[in-house]
Amino acid sequence: MKVGEPEKFIIDGKRLDGRKPDELRKIKMEVGVLDRADGSAYVEWGENKAIATCLGPREVHPRHLERSDRAILRCTYNMAPFSVSDRKRPGPDRRSVEISKVTRWALEPAVLLHLYPRTSIDVFIEVLQAQAGTRCVGITAASLALADAGIPMRDIVPACAAGKIGGEIVVDLSEMEDNYGDADLPIATMPTKGKITLMQMDGNLTQKEFEKAFDLAKKGCETVHQMQIDALKSKYER
Ligand code: ADP
Protein backbone atom coordinates (compact mmCIF):
# COMPACT_ATOMS: atom_id res chain seq x y z
CA MET A 1 0.00 0.00 0.00
CA LYS A 2 1.30 3.47 -0.93
CA VAL A 3 1.52 6.38 1.54
CA GLY A 4 -1.86 8.14 1.66
CA GLU A 5 -3.67 5.26 -0.05
CA PRO A 6 -7.12 4.66 1.45
CA GLU A 7 -7.81 1.19 2.88
CA LYS A 8 -11.01 0.89 0.88
CA PHE A 9 -12.22 2.76 -2.18
CA ILE A 10 -15.84 1.62 -1.94
CA ILE A 11 -17.80 1.39 1.31
CA ASP A 12 -21.44 0.19 1.26
CA GLY A 13 -21.59 0.59 -2.51
CA LYS A 14 -20.45 4.23 -2.38
CA ARG A 15 -17.12 5.70 -3.41
CA LEU A 16 -15.08 7.99 -1.12
CA ASP A 17 -16.74 11.09 -2.58
CA GLY A 18 -20.22 9.56 -2.16
CA ARG A 19 -20.72 8.60 -5.81
CA LYS A 20 -22.04 5.29 -7.08
CA PRO A 21 -19.64 3.30 -9.31
CA ASP A 22 -21.46 4.45 -12.46
CA GLU A 23 -21.98 8.07 -11.40
CA LEU A 24 -20.16 11.01 -12.99
CA ARG A 25 -18.94 14.00 -11.01
CA LYS A 26 -21.10 17.17 -11.31
CA ILE A 27 -20.63 18.79 -14.71
CA LYS A 28 -21.44 22.36 -15.82
CA MET A 29 -20.78 23.80 -19.27
CA GLU A 30 -21.19 27.16 -20.92
CA VAL A 31 -20.59 28.08 -24.55
CA GLY A 32 -19.52 31.49 -25.92
CA VAL A 33 -17.89 32.83 -22.77
CA LEU A 34 -15.25 35.02 -24.47
CA ASP A 35 -15.90 37.85 -26.93
CA ARG A 36 -12.60 37.92 -28.80
CA ALA A 37 -12.23 34.25 -29.72
CA ASP A 38 -14.16 32.81 -32.68
CA GLY A 39 -15.49 30.14 -30.33
CA SER A 40 -15.16 29.42 -26.63
CA ALA A 41 -16.45 27.18 -23.88
CA TYR A 42 -16.03 26.83 -20.13
CA VAL A 43 -16.42 23.47 -18.42
CA GLU A 44 -16.52 22.61 -14.72
CA TRP A 45 -16.26 18.89 -14.07
CA GLY A 46 -16.04 18.03 -10.38
CA GLU A 47 -13.25 20.31 -9.16
CA ASN A 48 -11.77 20.60 -12.66
CA LYS A 49 -12.17 23.97 -14.37
CA ALA A 50 -11.10 24.52 -17.96
CA ILE A 51 -11.67 27.01 -20.73
CA ALA A 52 -11.24 26.22 -24.42
CA THR A 53 -11.04 28.68 -27.29
CA CYS A 54 -11.06 28.23 -31.03
CA LEU A 55 -9.47 30.60 -33.56
CA GLY A 56 -9.95 30.03 -37.25
CA PRO A 57 -10.17 29.04 -39.99
CA ARG A 58 -7.31 31.51 -40.56
CA GLU A 59 -4.06 31.92 -42.48
CA VAL A 60 -1.42 29.36 -41.52
CA HIS A 61 1.77 30.60 -39.85
CA PRO A 62 4.39 29.36 -40.54
CA ARG A 63 3.22 29.04 -44.14
CA HIS A 64 5.08 25.80 -44.89
CA LEU A 65 2.63 23.95 -42.61
CA GLU A 66 -0.37 24.71 -44.83
CA ARG A 67 -2.02 21.87 -46.75
CA SER A 68 -3.48 22.44 -50.19
CA ASP A 69 -6.32 19.95 -49.67
CA ARG A 70 -7.48 20.70 -46.12
CA ALA A 71 -7.17 22.82 -43.00
CA ILE A 72 -4.73 21.84 -40.28
CA LEU A 73 -6.04 21.43 -36.75
CA ARG A 74 -3.68 22.52 -33.99
CA CYS A 75 -4.45 21.86 -30.33
CA THR A 76 -2.61 23.28 -27.34
CA TYR A 77 -3.30 22.02 -23.82
CA ASN A 78 -1.90 24.14 -21.00
CA MET A 79 -2.14 23.87 -17.23
CA ALA A 80 -2.02 27.12 -15.29
CA PRO A 81 0.74 27.28 -12.64
CA PHE A 82 -1.97 27.63 -9.95
CA SER A 83 -4.08 24.74 -11.25
CA VAL A 84 -2.50 22.07 -9.04
CA SER A 85 -1.58 21.96 -5.35
CA ASP A 86 2.20 22.28 -5.91
CA ARG A 87 2.75 25.22 -8.25
CA LYS A 88 3.33 23.90 -11.78
CA ARG A 89 6.27 25.33 -13.72
CA PRO A 90 4.75 27.47 -16.50
CA GLY A 91 5.15 26.39 -20.10
CA PRO A 92 4.98 23.14 -22.01
CA ASP A 93 6.25 19.87 -20.58
CA ARG A 94 6.14 16.23 -21.72
CA ARG A 95 2.66 15.72 -20.31
CA SER A 96 1.12 18.79 -21.97
CA VAL A 97 2.74 17.92 -25.30
CA GLU A 98 1.20 14.44 -25.05
CA ILE A 99 -2.25 15.73 -24.09
CA SER A 100 -2.16 18.37 -26.86
CA LYS A 101 -1.42 15.61 -29.35
CA VAL A 102 -4.12 13.19 -28.15
CA THR A 103 -6.64 16.06 -28.09
CA ARG A 104 -5.92 16.65 -31.78
CA TRP A 105 -6.27 12.91 -32.45
CA ALA A 106 -9.61 12.89 -30.61
CA LEU A 107 -11.04 15.88 -32.52
CA GLU A 108 -9.58 15.50 -36.01
CA PRO A 109 -11.96 12.73 -37.19
CA ALA A 110 -14.95 14.95 -36.35
CA VAL A 111 -13.89 18.18 -38.05
CA LEU A 112 -14.61 18.67 -41.78
CA LEU A 113 -11.09 19.92 -42.45
CA HIS A 114 -11.35 19.47 -46.24
CA LEU A 115 -13.78 22.42 -46.38
CA TYR A 116 -11.03 24.91 -45.48
CA PRO A 117 -7.87 24.17 -47.51
CA ARG A 118 -4.74 26.28 -46.77
CA THR A 119 -6.01 27.40 -43.36
CA SER A 120 -5.46 26.51 -39.73
CA ILE A 121 -8.00 25.93 -37.01
CA ASP A 122 -6.40 26.47 -33.61
CA VAL A 123 -7.75 25.23 -30.32
CA PHE A 124 -6.32 26.35 -26.97
CA ILE A 125 -7.24 24.59 -23.74
CA GLU A 126 -6.39 26.32 -20.47
CA VAL A 127 -6.79 24.22 -17.35
CA LEU A 128 -7.44 26.62 -14.48
CA GLN A 129 -7.96 23.98 -11.82
CA ALA A 130 -7.03 20.31 -12.12
CA GLN A 131 -8.30 17.33 -10.23
CA ALA A 132 -7.93 14.23 -12.43
CA GLY A 133 -9.41 13.69 -15.85
CA THR A 134 -8.37 17.02 -17.34
CA ARG A 135 -7.73 15.57 -20.81
CA CYS A 136 -11.41 14.51 -20.94
CA VAL A 137 -12.51 17.92 -19.71
CA GLY A 138 -10.24 19.60 -22.27
CA ILE A 139 -11.51 17.54 -25.22
CA THR A 140 -15.12 18.11 -24.15
CA ALA A 141 -14.57 21.89 -23.90
CA ALA A 142 -12.55 22.02 -27.13
CA SER A 143 -15.25 20.41 -29.24
CA LEU A 144 -17.76 22.90 -27.82
CA ALA A 145 -15.43 25.78 -28.73
CA LEU A 146 -15.12 24.40 -32.28
CA ALA A 147 -18.90 24.17 -32.58
CA ASP A 148 -19.26 27.68 -31.13
CA ALA A 149 -16.85 28.98 -33.80
CA GLY A 150 -19.18 27.52 -36.42
CA ILE A 151 -16.68 24.89 -37.64
CA PRO A 152 -18.67 22.13 -39.39
CA MET A 153 -18.27 18.78 -37.61
CA ARG A 154 -19.57 15.26 -38.08
CA ASP A 155 -20.47 15.17 -34.37
CA ILE A 156 -19.69 16.95 -31.12
CA VAL A 157 -16.95 14.99 -29.35
CA PRO A 158 -17.39 14.17 -25.66
CA ALA A 159 -14.71 12.42 -23.58
CA CYS A 160 -14.94 10.43 -20.37
CA ALA A 161 -12.79 7.94 -18.47
CA ALA A 162 -13.48 4.79 -16.52
CA GLY A 163 -11.05 2.82 -14.41
CA LYS A 164 -10.37 0.27 -11.74
CA ILE A 165 -10.09 1.06 -8.04
CA GLY A 166 -9.80 -1.51 -5.24
CA GLY A 167 -10.81 -4.25 -7.68
CA GLU A 168 -13.98 -2.43 -8.86
CA ILE A 169 -14.69 -0.82 -12.22
CA VAL A 170 -15.97 2.76 -11.90
CA VAL A 171 -16.57 5.73 -14.17
CA ASP A 172 -14.84 9.15 -14.03
CA LEU A 173 -12.02 8.70 -11.50
CA SER A 174 -11.52 11.32 -8.79
CA GLU A 175 -8.00 12.49 -7.97
CA MET A 176 -7.62 10.00 -5.11
CA GLU A 177 -8.89 7.19 -7.33
CA ASP A 178 -6.59 8.27 -10.15
CA ASN A 179 -3.53 8.45 -7.88
CA TYR A 180 -4.05 5.15 -6.08
CA GLY A 181 -6.24 3.18 -8.49
CA ASP A 182 -5.19 0.26 -10.68
CA ALA A 183 -6.20 1.48 -14.15
CA ASP A 184 -7.54 4.48 -16.05
CA LEU A 185 -9.19 4.30 -19.49
CA PRO A 186 -10.03 7.69 -21.02
CA ILE A 187 -11.95 7.63 -24.31
CA ALA A 188 -13.41 10.21 -26.70
CA THR A 189 -16.28 9.39 -29.03
CA MET A 190 -18.60 10.56 -31.78
CA PRO A 191 -21.79 9.15 -30.20
CA THR A 192 -24.17 9.71 -33.09
CA LYS A 193 -21.73 8.03 -35.49
CA GLY A 194 -20.93 5.18 -33.08
CA LYS A 195 -17.20 5.93 -33.39
CA ILE A 196 -14.37 6.03 -30.88
CA THR A 197 -11.88 8.77 -31.72
CA LEU A 198 -9.45 8.25 -28.84
CA MET A 199 -8.67 5.51 -26.37
CA GLN A 200 -5.79 5.46 -23.92
CA MET A 201 -5.09 3.10 -21.07
CA ASP A 202 -2.93 3.39 -18.01
CA GLY A 203 -2.55 0.31 -15.75
CA ASN A 204 -3.79 -3.24 -16.18
CA LEU A 205 -7.25 -4.70 -16.81
CA THR A 206 -8.40 -8.22 -17.68
CA GLN A 207 -10.45 -8.51 -20.87
CA LYS A 208 -13.69 -8.66 -18.86
CA GLU A 209 -12.72 -5.64 -16.77
CA PHE A 210 -11.72 -3.78 -19.92
CA GLU A 211 -15.10 -4.46 -21.52
CA LYS A 212 -16.93 -3.22 -18.43
CA ALA A 213 -14.77 -0.10 -18.13
CA PHE A 214 -15.12 0.63 -21.83
CA ASP A 215 -18.88 0.32 -21.58
CA LEU A 216 -19.04 2.67 -18.57
CA ALA A 217 -16.80 5.25 -20.27
CA LYS A 218 -18.94 5.07 -23.42
CA LYS A 219 -22.12 5.63 -21.41
CA GLY A 220 -20.39 8.53 -19.65
CA CYS A 221 -19.59 10.02 -23.08
CA GLU A 222 -23.27 9.74 -24.06
CA THR A 223 -24.31 11.68 -20.95
CA VAL A 224 -21.65 14.34 -21.57
CA HIS A 225 -22.71 14.55 -25.24
CA GLN A 226 -26.27 15.40 -24.24
CA MET A 227 -24.97 18.10 -21.89
CA GLN A 228 -22.86 19.53 -24.73
CA ILE A 229 -25.89 19.74 -26.99
CA ASP A 230 -27.90 21.41 -24.22
CA ALA A 231 -25.09 23.91 -23.58
CA LEU A 232 -24.93 24.82 -27.28
CA LYS A 233 -28.69 25.22 -27.50
CA SER A 234 -28.86 27.37 -24.39
CA LYS A 235 -26.38 29.85 -25.91
CA TYR A 236 -28.96 30.61 -28.60
CA GLU A 237 -31.81 30.80 -26.10
CA ARG A 238 -29.92 33.45 -24.11
P1 ADP B 1 -5.59 13.72 -16.60
O1 ADP B 1 -5.68 15.10 -16.01
O2 ADP B 1 -6.13 13.65 -17.98
O3 ADP B 1 -6.18 12.65 -15.70
P2 ADP B 1 -3.00 12.72 -15.79
O4 ADP B 1 -3.42 11.33 -15.49
O5 ADP B 1 -1.63 12.94 -16.38
O6 ADP B 1 -4.03 13.42 -16.79
O7 ADP B 1 -3.07 13.62 -14.48
C1 ADP B 1 -3.93 13.29 -13.43
C2 ADP B 1 -4.03 14.43 -12.46
O8 ADP B 1 -2.80 14.64 -11.79
C3 ADP B 1 -4.35 15.79 -13.09
O9 ADP B 1 -5.70 15.95 -13.44
C4 ADP B 1 -3.93 16.71 -11.98
O10 ADP B 1 -4.95 16.78 -10.99
C5 ADP B 1 -2.70 15.99 -11.42
N1 ADP B 1 -1.48 16.57 -11.98
C6 ADP B 1 -1.05 16.52 -13.25
N2 ADP B 1 0.11 17.20 -13.42
C7 ADP B 1 0.42 17.70 -12.21
C8 ADP B 1 1.49 18.50 -11.69
N3 ADP B 1 2.48 18.94 -12.47
N4 ADP B 1 1.46 18.79 -10.37
C9 ADP B 1 0.48 18.35 -9.56
N5 ADP B 1 -0.57 17.60 -10.00
C10 ADP B 1 -0.60 17.28 -11.28
Side-chain angles (χ1 to χ4, degrees), residues 75-79 93-107 125 127 133-139 186 198 200:
C75 297
T76 309
Y77 165 102
N78 183 52
M79 252 180 158
D93 52 22
R94 270 175 58 126
R95 182 176 168 278
S96 67
V97 170
E98 180 230 341
I99 299 182
S100 298
K101 201 169 190 172
V102 301
T103 300
R104 176 165 59 79
W105 289 348
L107 298 171
I125 296 160
V127 176
T134 58
R135 75 195 59 210
C136 293
V137 181
I139 292 167
L198 177 75
Q200 296 188 279

Side-chain angles (χ1 to χ4, degrees), residues 25-93:
R25 288 174 281 186
K26 278 212 170 63
I27 302 175
K28 252 173 47 185
M29 322 180 170
E30 197 178 334
V31 173
V33 290
L34 299 177
D35 291 340
R36 299 198 188 106
D38 295 317
S40 60
Y42 172 67
V43 176
E44 273 184 27
W45 185 319
E47 299 300 314
N48 290 305
K49 295 182 182 182
I51 208 158
T53 57
C54 172
L55 295 175
R58 59 182 183 171
E59 233 175 58
V60 184
H61 292 287
R63 287 298 281 271
H64 69 87
L65 293 178
E66 78 175 25
R67 296 281 305 258
S68 59
D69 57 339
R70 62 173 179 87
I72 56 166
L73 179 67
R74 292 188 288 202
C75 297
T76 309
Y77 165 102
N78 183 52
M79 252 180 158
F82 49 80
S83 65
V84 285
S85 48
D86 297 330
R87 178 182 176 276
K88 186 202 159 282
R89 198 160 168 251
D93 52 22

Side-chain angles (χ1 to χ4, degrees), residues 110-173:
V111 184
L112 300 179
L113 294 171
H114 63 277
L115 296 180
Y116 302 102
R118 299 186 188 284
T119 67
S120 76
I121 298 171
D122 297 291
V123 170
F124 300 93
I125 296 160
E126 296 293 330
V127 176
L128 307 173
Q129 192 166 287
Q131 209 149 75
T134 58
R135 75 195 59 210
C136 293
V137 181
I139 292 167
T140 300
S143 75
L144 280 177
L146 282 161
D148 185 40
I151 308 289
M153 288 193 283
R154 296 180 175 88
D155 201 352
I156 310 284
V157 180
C160 184
K164 182 177 166 190
I165 49 159
E168 290 249 11
I169 304 296
V170 300
V171 78
D172 187 23
L173 302 185

